[in-house]
Amino acid sequence: MFAFVTFKNQEERDKAMKAVHGMQWKSKVLSVRLAKPKADPILKKRKQEEEAEGGQPGAKRAAGSQEGEEDEEEEPLNIQIANAVTPLWNVPYEEQLKRKEKEVEGILQKLTREIGNNNKAMLPWLFVQKEKYNKMCCPLEAIQPSPVQTEYRNKCEFVIGVGADGEDKTVGFRLGKYKGGSCAVVSPSETTHVSSEAKRVVQGFQQFIRTTPYAVYSPETYEGHWRQLTVRTSRIKQTMAIVFFNPQKLQEEEIEELKRNLHQYFTEGEGKESAITSLYFVRMGQRTSAGTEDLPCEHVTGEEWIHEELLGLKFRISPHSFFQTNTPAAEVLYSAVGEWAQLDQDSTVLDVCCGTGTIGISLAKRVKKVIGIELCQEAVEDAKANAEANGLTNVEFHCGKAEDVFPTVLNAVVSPNVTAIVDPPRAGLHSKVILAIRRAEHLKRLIYVACNAKAAMNNFIDLCRAVSNRVRGAPFRPVRAMAVDLFPQTMHCETILLLERVDYSSDTQTTET
């Protein structure tokens, strides 16, 4: 029953307070009062440090804490950054896999309880399943390891800021989050998951920005220019760099001059050693947060795309397009999806949130038709080009929000053998997509690829819940699950869940597995 409103300055705020206070809105009288915002975490931390140093700003904290407790900052920076970005770096790989498998097991056990709470008709079947599969609703197959455990990331986003070592204009990873009071950046040179190609680009780019008069962007004051560097690499030795820059009040001519200098540096200057094959420049305006996908990319030099090979197929990748960040492990993931889908020449595959078309294209030769749906226009263009480059004519792609496009596409499919494969972003699928899947009774099999199974829990529950006024169409139930490790040295992994439509006409419903 309340809302917070933020203003650019005090004058605007006071004007709005006068206008809104006592206003009638939907039969209610609005009252306004000043909010008590939390202290800015950076300022708060700075103040605490100054007080601890007896009010001498800038003085270094005395080595070791007064009460002899371990001071976190005593650890070398390479250890601190490893802990921040690859928290399992010092855990043996077999142990990492066990932990991830255990976590997925816990998620499936929770899902089993939730299905029971939301669909009483499934309780007899769940009872049998839980006895067989350690309180889980379906078998969890052995976790699939990543074929490579180091230097596996083909896409990295580096921030630009003041280094934890005090060096200005440092390109790397943040030691902590802004809300934790830290903006310090550490070079990725000793991190295990970043490729040597990406490290080389970071080094070259850092050298370049240190020769320019432009300051790094400050999330505290919103001043400065250099914001972020994204590096994408491929196994066929192509490298794309995307530079994010806040123009502030610079003249267009100054920005064009900067782009010319970038071009010159990476094609003829010292940056040539970075071996960049595609360079882009992005203007990232005031207070623009994480959503960089919508910002236009200005092509500076090299090719417009980089190319990758996966499962013997060729793919082109644009700056904003989604492509799994660990290519060898993605091959393991997509091979499993292909096997579980039980496809034949009469099958139609719906590839939802398809990115550059990787899953659908990898299955196209086995099926009658592949239909892909993707929000990012660039990725759809890539997907169409990828289908053509691989000589496929039975593939089509639609651009738009899955919740808008999916119901229409699904209703147009007449094939009796339809399988949907969904690989949504971290937050999962929009509930409209789930409801459309439930309503489409001819869709019998669904493979859900989740990069965060916890976040996808509501989707899983809605697919399995009892029929109601809101949820039409027979429910699904989980048949098998497996984790695939795409992110060694971290706690993340992908989870594949195969769900099949419950057939109420079958008398064996309670005993089937």
Side-chain angles (χ1 to χ4, degrees):
M1 297 299 287
F2 60 89
F4 290 102
V5 186
T6 310
F7 296 90
K8 284 224 168 19
N9 56 48
Q10 200 169 326
E11 189 186 340
E12 282 184 25
R13 183 196 70 190
D14 294 346
K15 205 160 67 179
M17 283 181 78
K18 276 188 192 140
V20 178
H21 193 64
M23 183 194 278
Q24 183 125 3
W25 187 69
K26 289 192 180 177
S27 76
K28 294 213 169 35
V29 177
L30 299 181
S31 68
V32 178
R33 68 168 189 258
L34 282 179
K36 289 195 177 75
K38 273 188 170 178
D40 182 298
I42 296 275
L43 295 176
K44 190 175 166 189
K45 190 174 180 189
R46 195 176 294 149
K47 195 176 174 196
Q48 284 169 348
E49 286 179 358
E50 285 176 12
E51 282 168 5
E53 292 152 2
Q56 293 170 27
K60 287 275 180 221
R61 215 186 303 186
S65 23
Q66 291 179 343
E67 290 162 35
E69 76 228 16
E70 275 297 307
D71 191 337
E72 253 181 72
E73 295 187 19
E74 290 307 302
E75 283 190 319
L77 288 177
N78 61 335
I79 302 292
Q80 285 186 53
I81 201 66
N83 291 337
V85 295
T86 47
L88 303 185
W89 65 275
N90 58 354
V91 176
Y93 191 53
E94 285 304 314
E95 174 62 26
Q96 291 184 34
L97 294 175
K98 277 183 198 154
R99 287 189 197 179
K100 294 183 192 197
E101 197 163 57
K102 197 81 189 144
E103 180 156 339
V104 175
E105 191 177 283
I107 290 166
L108 287 174
Q109 288 167 343
K110 184 183 179 200
L111 175 59
T112 307
R113 294 193 295 273
E114 292 287 353
I115 294 173
N117 294 338
N118 289 281
N119 193 336
K120 301 291 184 246
M122 280 206 209
L123 283 170
W125 174 77
L126 282 172
F127 182 77
V128 174
Q129 297 294 89
K130 276 159 56 173
E131 288 294 305
K132 281 186 188 172
Y133 304 118
N134 186 25
K135 299 180 184 167
M136 292 184 287
C137 50
C138 66
L140 173 62
E141 299 182 14
I143 186 169
Q144 296 294 299
S146 170
V148 289
Q149 284 101 52
T150 57
E151 297 198 16
Y152 60 84
R153 284 198 71 94
N154 59 33
K155 179 185 180 186
C156 289
E157 293 173 357
F158 302 102
V159 290
I160 307 166
V162 177
D165 56 2
E167 284 283 344
D168 191 16
K169 299 184 189 174
T170 298
V171 184
F173 296 121
R174 275 220 180 103
L175 265 185
K177 291 191 167 68
Y178 187 93
K179 67 178 182 185
S182 168
C183 276
V185 176
V186 176
S187 159
S189 59
E190 292 186 56
T191 51
T192 56
H193 63 326
V194 179
S195 68
S196 50
E197 290 88 352
K199 288 174 184 174
R200 199 162 58 224
V201 175
V202 165
Q203 191 56 38
F205 178 68
Q206 184 173 276
Q207 271 177 279
F208 172 79
I209 64 172
R210 285 178 177 177
T211 65
T212 70
Y214 306 116
V216 296
Y217 177 79
S218 162
E220 183 188 341
T221 62
Y222 307 115
E223 292 168 353
H225 300 276
W226 298 111
R227 289 197 70 161
Q228 182 181 310
L229 172 73
T230 296
V231 181
R232 303 189 80 152
T233 53
S234 71
R235 296 194 286 191
I236 55 173
K237 299 299 172 202
Q238 293 185 352
T239 302
M240 177 186 284
I242 310 153
V243 174
F244 293 84
F245 185 85
N246 189 327
Q248 302 288 9
K249 294 189 176 113
L250 290 182
Q251 297 297 312
E252 186 59 33
E253 182 43 50
E254 286 181 85
I255 293 171
E256 288 304 320
E257 173 71 14
L258 176 61
K259 282 161 65 180
R260 284 194 293 274
N261 291 343
L262 267 167
H263 175 283
Q264 195 276 330
Y265 177 80
F266 282 110
T267 54
E268 299 160 30
E270 286 181 42
K272 197 174 179 182
E273 287 177 20
S274 305
I276 288 174
T277 56
S278 172
L279 179 61
Y280 280 92
F281 184 87
V282 177
R283 301 173 196 223
M284 196 173 179
Q286 202 64 2
R287 298 195 187 202
T288 310
S289 61
T292 56
E293 305 80 42
D294 305 330
L295 299 172
C297 292
E298 300 168 41
H299 184 238
V300 177
T301 186
E303 285 192 59
E304 287 181 50
W305 310 279
I306 57 168
H307 297 82
E308 183 58 289
E309 285 181 0
L310 181 139
L311 294 172
L313 298 159
K314 295 182 187 70
F315 294 91
R316 85 171 201 199
I317 306 164
S318 291
H320 288 323
S321 297
F322 173 76
F323 196 89
Q324 285 288 7
T325 53
N326 177 343
T327 309
E331 292 183 316
V332 174
L333 179 73
Y334 297 157
S335 299
V337 167
E339 184 196 319
W340 287 24
Q342 297 169 32
L343 304 167
D344 58 37
Q345 286 301 317
D346 292 326
S347 303
T348 296
V349 170
L350 296 172
D351 185 2
V352 185
C353 307
C354 65
T356 49
T358 41
I359 295 180
I361 287 171
S362 70
L363 303 175
K365 284 184 178 157
R366 304 187 215 172
V367 301
K368 187 178 180 183
K369 188 160 197 181
V370 171
I371 304 169
I373 300 169
E374 169 59 43
L375 175 63
C376 173
Q377 181 68 50
E378 267 183 36
V380 171
E381 297 304 321
D382 287 345
K384 288 176 179 173
N386 292 335
E388 199 177 315
N390 290 291
L392 301 168
T393 52
N394 61 338
V395 185
E396 63 181 60
F397 294 99
H398 300 263
C399 183
K401 287 182 178 174
E403 58 267 29
D404 297 338
V405 180
F406 187 74
T408 319
V409 168
L410 194 50
N411 293 336
V413 174
V414 288
S415 164
N417 185 354
V418 187
T419 298
I421 296 165
V422 301
D423 185 5
R426 188 150 291 158
L429 287 171
H430 193 285
S431 61
K432 277 188 193 170
V433 182
I434 299 291
L435 296 178
I437 289 171
R438 284 289 298 263
R439 278 196 303 273
E441 296 267 11
H442 60 303
L443 172 57
K444 305 289 188 196
R445 186 181 291 116
L446 171 76
I447 294 177
Y448 197 121
V449 180
C451 59
N452 183 338
K454 267 187 193 157
M457 182 62 77
N458 286 340
N459 281 179
F460 298 159
I461 296 166
D462 283 346
L463 287 165
C464 302
R465 71 168 63 248
V467 175
S468 65
N469 286 340
R470 185 177 80 94
V471 185
R472 306 284 169 91
F476 285 81
R477 61 184 181 198
V479 176
R480 63 199 289 205
M482 182 168 77
V484 181
D485 186 21
L486 266 82
F487 314 102
Q489 327 305 334
T490 78
M491 264 314 289
H492 304 293
C493 66
E494 297 272 335
T495 305
I496 316 175
L497 189 64
L498 170 63
L499 299 114
E500 285 179 356
R501 181 90 61 175
V502 174
D503 181 4
Y504 283 118
S505 64
S506 165
D507 294 328
T508 57
Q509 197 239 316
T510 55
T511 53
E512 256 181 43
T513 58

